[in-house]
Amino acid sequence: MMRTRPLKVALLGCGVVGSEVARIMTTHADDLAARIGAPVELAGVAVRRPDKVRGGIDPALITTDATALVKRGDIDVVVEVIGGIEPARALITTAFEHGASVVSANKALLAQDGATLYAAAEQHGQDLYYEAAVAGAIPLIRPLRESLAGDKINRVMGIVNGTTNFILDKMDSTGAGYQEALDEATALGYAEADPTADVEGFDAAAKAAILAGIAFHTRVRLDDVYREGMTEVTAADFASARQMGCTIKLLAICERAADGESVTARVHPAMIPLSHPLASVREAYNAVFVEAEAAGQLMFYGPGAGGSPTASAVLGDVVAVCRNRLNEATGPGESAYTQLPVSPMGDVVTRYHISLDVADKPGVLAQVATVFAEHGVSIDTVRQHGRQDGGGEASLVVVTHRAPDAALSGTVEALRKLDTVRGVASIMRVEGE
Amino acid sequence: MMRTRPLKVALLGCGVVGSEVARIMTTHADDLAARIGAPVELAGVAVRRPDKVRGGIDPALITTDATALVKRGDIDVVVEVIGGIEPARALITTAFEHGASVVSANKALLAQDGATLYAAAEQHGQDLYYEAAVAGAIPLIRPLRESLAGDKINRVMGIVNGTTNFILDKMDSTGAGYQEALDEATALGYAEADPTADVEGFDAAAKAAILAGIAFHTRVRLDDVYREGMTEVTAADFASARQMGCTIKLLAICERAADGESVTARVHPAMIPLSHPLASVREAYNAVFVEAEAAGQLMFYGPGAGGSPTASAVLGDVVAVCRNRLNEATGPGESAYTQLPVSPMGDVVTRYHISLDVADKPGVLAQVATVFAEHGVSIDTVRQHGRQDGGGEASLVVVTHRAPDAALSGTVEALRKLDTVRGVASIMRVEGE
Ligand SMILES: NC(=O)c1ccc[n+]([C@@H]2O[C@H](COP(=O)([O-])OP(=O)(O)OC[C@H]3O[C@@H](n4cnc5c(N)ncnc54)[C@H](OP(=O)(O)O)[C@@H]3O)[C@@H](O)[C@H]2O)c1
Ligand SMILES: NC(=O)c1ccc[n+]([C@@H]2O[C@H](COP(=O)([O-])OP(=O)(O)OC[C@H]3O[C@@H](n4cnc5c(N)ncnc54)[C@H](OP(=O)(O)O)[C@@H]3O)[C@@H](O)[C@H]2O)c1
């Protein structure tokens, strides 16, 4: 029972992702038609540079007037793969107003303004899908929104940025420093010329905001996400991690507080045990670990970026949206009914691994231990190394039990003020136990 | 905009899974209502033994007349967690006829008769969802059916039976033999009193049939699945696997042939490299590795069974089906448009690891190598061990390159006939490279 009038797709952007979306739509047109129940047709492609040669795309479809394209009125699905805030936001809103549903891969926009976009979609009875915005090809948004819709998610912890995972994996496996590993990532095309969005955790923070919102059925804004980049992770940190049977990953962590009354979202480098499933995620792969009350521990693993993996996620959404249209229905909209407050980083309960350079004399450990006790932070292990070089210095590595982040950072502040503490060589959170 | 008339759910079966479905529906009623957009109510619970005490369930809901329950006419969703072929099949069909959609966890029935059930659902405009039937809590059916609907899946390879994974993991980590590990699994409740369905691969074969059908958009019957159990895996096999940097898993493998014109589905123990993500799946966990043309390699990991994980998957489906009903729509039905033939095991291209006991004299290796060559099977590595005990015997371990399974088994047949081959100690396929 194939409908013959094709569904029309407008493609906004034809770069790394968009060109792959166009290619697959063309080469796999028959499969897509069979799965949707109607043929699907590329009705127009908006770009910035109209004269660039775009293999496999009918030049008559190319336009620089994206607004006119989304206003045509006969478009069923707008695929937004331009990126950035504007004109993407205005184009998406205009698409809804003109009766089109939208599939987007734009994490930055969704993290910043998802609620507005959802509201516009609902107002106009349209779908907003964005599987590709988090963890590329990995089916994650749909499992969280739909498969786990009957469960209570307590924690989402993931490696959601491939560039930084590539860098950290290189540092771990080769002993390289941050800059050397970054250079290699750049040379191999894993890092952009300006890697700030990746290495400072902005990209991961956008994804954390999106994931937390979906997982906890609440609104989490980008500003609610605590963010620390990974540019200060050193080869020495990796050596310390190894001694603890750990490695270091840049993690996005979204948690429900123990009392269930608030949530937190954060991005920072952390030590995780080598036995944790996330520890073995190599190179530019992504993986997300989900803990739900009934389901238990789940993990989703795969390529987090790249033209064709991302296009796979986009096209899965295109098929879903097209099916919804044929059904004259829409998929699940925003689910933010819990309206839970987002607590600041200080309320997060975690563990610290702290390396101190201290004076090598009796009583130092007692002094240090007193500071921890005064801040209500209980110590799990301490390792003390004399320098053996008569220099009068030693290093002290303290790993704490779980405590509020505010108490932990308060402890570090106080430690810095001790005469016998020459310096705080590194501080790293420990997760995944 | 909450609808006030509740959606009514009839629960067929209230055992390991059903009792958890009932519990979560009761304790999380508000969340389910918010996510669906209407309250959802347990309207009846069919069991075999009406007098058994069932905590938290209103005794007035209990009935032994499952047929009358599904015929009531006011039921929106029937959850079938009885298991087995009859009466489950008849009840599901009756449910469709009386205007209810169905959520089932019944892999045996779906593998045997999925096409008939799908046809009945479509005829009556109802949904048939069964996320829980494969890999318990792991979102897998929905990602394959929906997230990857715009992609071309070439391979699905997974650990889909927790009992056998527990046994193999024990054998691997402790050096135990099969019987000893099975006894432990039984004592801990991971294996049933009669473990046949698990250890002989019947359960995994049912799941392979379901997965192959969905992945390749074709019909794969249970009889189409090649099946070998894991009762003959020995501690010695694990030792050989280790020497190759491998472990042994019971795998369900569904593949598209290289020419794309046919598919295969099979279940058997196989060596996989320790570096493969499936190698580190421990205890009773399940994991499924998916290779798709655009998405690349994805993996889904989590608890494959247990009351509450399975109930999580069932309830995700209940929410989806309820949303569909409020939309007056149905979700994706059967997708079997490709109608690809399922090739026999002989056509599968794989690798063999073969241990032979041979006479310890010159020329044996040449003889053995000739047999491989005559069958068109190329050898990757050979390891030869003299027994050093003057007994005149040696062992020969051959690992082949990829070749059709028929050529490989033909080679083994011919080897058995050689005078110099005293015995074939073990044969194991090698996968995941
Ligand atoms: N690349 C990935 O691996 C990946 C993964 C996940 C998500 N995403 C997301 O996918 C989106 C697209 O990423 P990308 O890597 O494909 O970007 P890209 O390669 O830079 O492509 C951007 C495309 O948008 C077009 N464009 C820019 N401004 C435009 C305007 N004002 N009007 C019309 N077209 C305009 C460009 O035209 P020209 O071709 O003429 O320059 C280009 O075709 C982003 O939101 C990104 O975050 C990307
Ligand atoms: N258990 C798991 O971990 C798991 C995982 C994935 C999928 N599944 C699937 O889920 C289904 C249920 O499994 P389960 O482990 O929950 O089974 P179970 O514990 O044996 O429960 C079966 C339930 O069905 C009831 N029942 C049996 N025959 C009936 C009949 N003729 N009419 C009405 N009720 C009847 C039983 O009633 P009484 O209570 O009165 O005996 C019992 O409540 C099976 O298809 C199984 O393959 C199970």
Side-chain angles (χ1 to χ4, degrees):
Chain A
M1 290 187 311
M2 177 83 73
R3 195 177 84 146
T4 45
R5 184 178 86 68
L7 288 147
K8 293 190 181 172
V9 173
L11 187 59
L12 310 186
C14 192
V16 175
V17 179
S19 61
E20 280 296 302
V21 171
R23 186 187 63 74
I24 298 174
M25 279 189 64
T26 311
T27 54
H28 289 30
D30 292 347
D31 281 313
L32 293 172
R35 295 173 195 180
I36 291 168
V40 59
E41 169 189 300
L42 200 55
V45 180
V47 297
R48 207 169 21 189
R49 295 165 296 167
D51 300 328
K52 195 174 165 226
V53 177
R54 307 192 192 252
I57 297 178
D58 179 355
L61 295 178
I62 303 284
T63 174
T64 53
D65 192 348
T67 308
L69 179 57
V70 300
K71 280 188 175 171
R72 259 172 54 172
D74 66 337
I75 302 296
D76 293 284
V77 187
V78 167
V79 172
E80 184 276 304
V81 281
I82 293 175
I85 305 302
E86 291 294 353
R89 174 167 44 197
L91 289 167
I92 291 176
T93 315
T94 309
F96 291 142
E97 287 162 7
H98 289 79
S101 283
V102 172
V103 173
S104 172
N106 194 331
K107 52 228 159 197
L109 177 56
L110 281 153
Q112 179 166 317
D113 222 7
T116 313
L117 297 180
Y118 263 129
E122 185 170 352
Q123 186 193 338
H124 297 283
Q126 302 300 332
D127 270 329
L128 171 64
Y129 276 58
Y130 50 88
E131 182 64 77
V134 183
I138 310 175
L140 187 61
I141 305 290
R142 185 175 278 102
L144 291 178
R145 265 166 66 146
E146 303 182 35
S147 307
L148 289 163
D151 207 332
K152 184 173 180 187
I153 298 171
N154 288 322
R155 199 153 197 263
V156 177
M157 175 161 98
I159 296 167
V160 293
N161 181 276
T163 305
T164 48
N165 200 57
F166 183 90
I167 296 171
L168 291 169
D169 183 34
K170 275 289 156 253
M171 292 175 71
D172 191 22
S173 57
T174 66
Y178 165 71
Q179 190 58 50
E180 192 185 333
L182 171 62
D183 291 345
E184 185 176 346
T186 311
L188 291 170
Y190 286 114
E192 292 181 42
D194 175 1
T196 312
D198 294 319
V199 300
E200 294 296 353
F202 291 102
D203 174 78
K207 293 164 178 170
I210 295 172
L211 289 176
I214 295 174
F216 306 132
H217 300 271
T218 194
R219 276 192 195 148
V220 178
R221 291 165 310 125
L222 191 48
D223 293 346
D224 294 329
V225 182
Y226 173 83
R227 182 192 50 76
E228 242 176 65
M230 46 67 74
T231 57
E232 279 161 36
V233 177
T234 63
D237 290 329
F238 273 101
S240 306
R242 282 279 153 187
Q243 283 191 322
M244 285 184 62
C246 286
T247 185
I248 298 168
K249 296 291 186 187
L250 182 71
L251 299 179
I253 306 177
C254 312
E255 282 173 324
R256 195 188 285 280
D259 66 5
E261 301 300 317
S262 63
V263 299
T264 53
R266 53 192 164 117
V267 168
H268 55 71
M271 294 187 183
I272 54 167
L274 291 171
S275 58
H276 194 283
L278 290 177
S280 46
V281 176
R282 308 296 303 272
E283 309 211 312
Y285 274 87
N286 280 197
V288 178
F289 202 75
V290 176
E291 288 177 38
E293 195 175 86
Q297 302 188 322
L298 304 171
M299 192 173 80
F300 303 82
Y301 166 95
S308 89
T310 309
S312 169
V314 166
L315 284 165
D317 281 352
V318 168
V319 170
V321 169
C322 287
R323 283 173 176 167
N324 289 345
R325 286 181 95 74
L326 295 183
N327 269 324
E328 293 176 4
T330 50
E334 186 185 26
S335 176
Y337 68 91
T338 64
Q339 297 178 30
L340 295 170
V342 185
S343 303
M345 188 62 195
D347 289 1
V348 165
V349 176
T350 179
R351 298 174 62 200
Y352 270 25
H353 175 284
I354 307 165
S355 297
L356 303 171
D357 293 327
V358 296
D360 192 4
K361 58 185 185 189
V364 173
L365 179 54
Q367 245 187 343
V368 165
T370 305
V371 171
F372 279 89
E374 282 167 0
H375 288 81
V377 174
S378 139
I379 292 177
D380 180 15
T381 59
V382 181
R383 274 199 325 272
Q384 209 169 170
H385 304 282
R387 284 267 174 91
Q388 321 278 348
D389 59 1
E393 279 207 0
S395 87
L396 209 59
V397 175
V398 181
V399 182
T400 72
H401 282 297
R402 284 160 57 80
D405 202 79
L408 289 161
S409 56
T411 307
V412 173
E413 282 302 290
L415 288 172
R416 285 189 205 277
K417 291 187 189 132
L418 288 184
D419 279 351
T420 45
V421 171
R422 305 279 157 82
V424 179
S426 88
I427 310 164
M428 180 102 44
R429 295 183 184 87
V430 183
E431 301 288 339
E433 286 166 313
Chain B
M1 288 187 312
M2 178 84 72
R3 195 176 84 144
T4 46
R5 185 179 86 70
L7 288 147
K8 293 190 180 171
V9 173
L11 186 60
L12 310 185
C14 193
V16 175
V17 179
S19 60
E20 280 297 301
V21 171
R23 186 187 63 74
I24 299 174
M25 279 189 64
T26 311
T27 54
H28 290 27
D30 292 348
D31 282 312
L32 293 172
R35 295 174 195 179
I36 292 168
V40 59
E41 168 189 300
L42 200 55
V45 181
V47 297
R48 210 168 19 188
R49 295 164 298 167
D51 301 328
K52 198 177 162 220
V53 177
R54 309 195 189 250
I57 297 178
D58 179 354
L61 295 178
I62 302 284
T63 174
T64 53
D65 193 347
T67 308
L69 178 58
V70 299
K71 280 187 175 171
R72 260 172 53 173
D74 65 338
I75 302 298
D76 292 284
V77 187
V78 167
V79 173
E80 184 277 304
V81 281
I82 293 175
I85 305 302
E86 292 294 355
R89 173 166 46 195
L91 289 168
I92 291 176
T93 314
T94 308
F96 291 142
E97 286 162 7
H98 289 78
S101 283
V102 172
V103 173
S104 172
N106 195 331
K107 52 228 160 194
L109 176 56
L110 281 153
Q112 180 167 316
D113 223 6
T116 313
L117 297 181
Y118 264 129
E122 185 170 352
Q123 187 193 336
H124 298 284
Q126 302 299 332
D127 270 330
L128 171 63
Y129 276 59
Y130 50 88
E131 181 65 78
V134 183
I138 310 174
L140 186 62
I141 306 290
R142 185 175 278 100
L144 292 178
R145 265 166 68 147
E146 303 182 35
S147 307
L148 289 163
D151 206 333
K152 183 173 180 186
I153 298 172
N154 288 323
R155 199 154 196 265
V156 178
M157 175 161 97
I159 295 167
V160 293
N161 180 277
T163 305
T164 49
N165 199 58
F166 183 90
I167 296 171
L168 291 169
D169 184 33
K170 274 291 155 250
M171 292 176 70
D172 192 21
S173 57
T174 66
Y178 165 70
Q179 189 59 48
E180 193 185 332
L182 171 62
D183 291 345
E184 186 174 347
T186 312
L188 292 171
Y190 286 113
E192 293 182 42
D194 175 2
T196 312
D198 295 317
V199 300
E200 294 296 353
F202 290 102
D203 175 77
K207 292 163 178 170
I210 295 172
L211 289 176
I214 295 173
F216 306 133
H217 300 269
T218 194
R219 277 192 194 147
V220 177
R221 291 166 311 127
L222 190 49
D223 293 347
D224 294 329
V225 182
Y226 173 84
R227 180 190 52 75
E228 241 176 67
M230 45 68 74
T231 57
E232 278 161 36
V233 176
T234 62
D237 290 329
F238 273 102
S240 306
R242 282 278 152 188
Q243 284 191 322
M244 285 183 63
C246 287
T247 186
I248 298 169
K249 295 291 187 188
L250 183 70
L251 298 179
I253 306 176
C254 312
E255 283 174 322
R256 195 188 285 279
D259 66 5
E261 300 300 318
S262 64
V263 300
T264 53
R266 53 191 164 119
V267 169
H268 56 72
M271 294 187 182
I272 54 167
L274 292 171
S275 58
H276 193 282
L278 290 177
S280 46
V281 177
R282 308 296 303 273
E283 308 212 311
Y285 274 86
N286 281 196
V288 178
F289 201 75
V290 177
E291 289 177 38
E293 196 175 87
Q297 302 189 322
L298 304 170
M299 192 172 80
F300 303 82
Y301 166 95
S308 88
T310 309
S312 169
V314 166
L315 284 165
D317 281 352
V318 168
V319 170
V321 168
C322 287
R323 284 173 176 167
N324 289 345
R325 285 181 96 75
L326 294 183
N327 268 325
E328 293 175 4
T330 51
E334 186 184 27
S335 177
Y337 68 92
T338 64
Q339 298 178 28
L340 295 171
V342 185
S343 302
M345 187 62 197
D347 289 2
V348 166
V349 176
T350 179
R351 298 174 62 200
Y352 270 26
H353 175 284
I354 307 166
S355 297
L356 302 171
D357 293 327
V358 297
D360 193 5
K361 58 184 186 190
V364 173
L365 179 54
Q367 245 186 344
V368 164
T370 305
V371 171
F372 277 90
E374 281 168 1
H375 288 80
V377 175
S378 137
I379 292 177
D380 180 15
T381 59
V382 180
R383 275 200 323 273
Q384 209 170 171
H385 304 284
R387 284 270 173 90
Q388 321 278 345
D389 59 0
E393 279 207 359
S395 87
L396 209 60
V397 175
V398 181
V399 182
T400 72
H401 282 297
R402 284 161 56 81
D405 202 79
L408 290 161
S409 56
T411 308
V412 173
E413 281 302 290
L415 288 172
R416 283 188 206 277
K417 291 186 189 133
L418 287 184
D419 278 351
T420 46
V421 172
R422 304 281 157 82
V424 179
S426 89
I427 310 164
M428 181 102 44
R429 295 183 184 87
V430 183
E431 301 288 339
E433 286 166 312

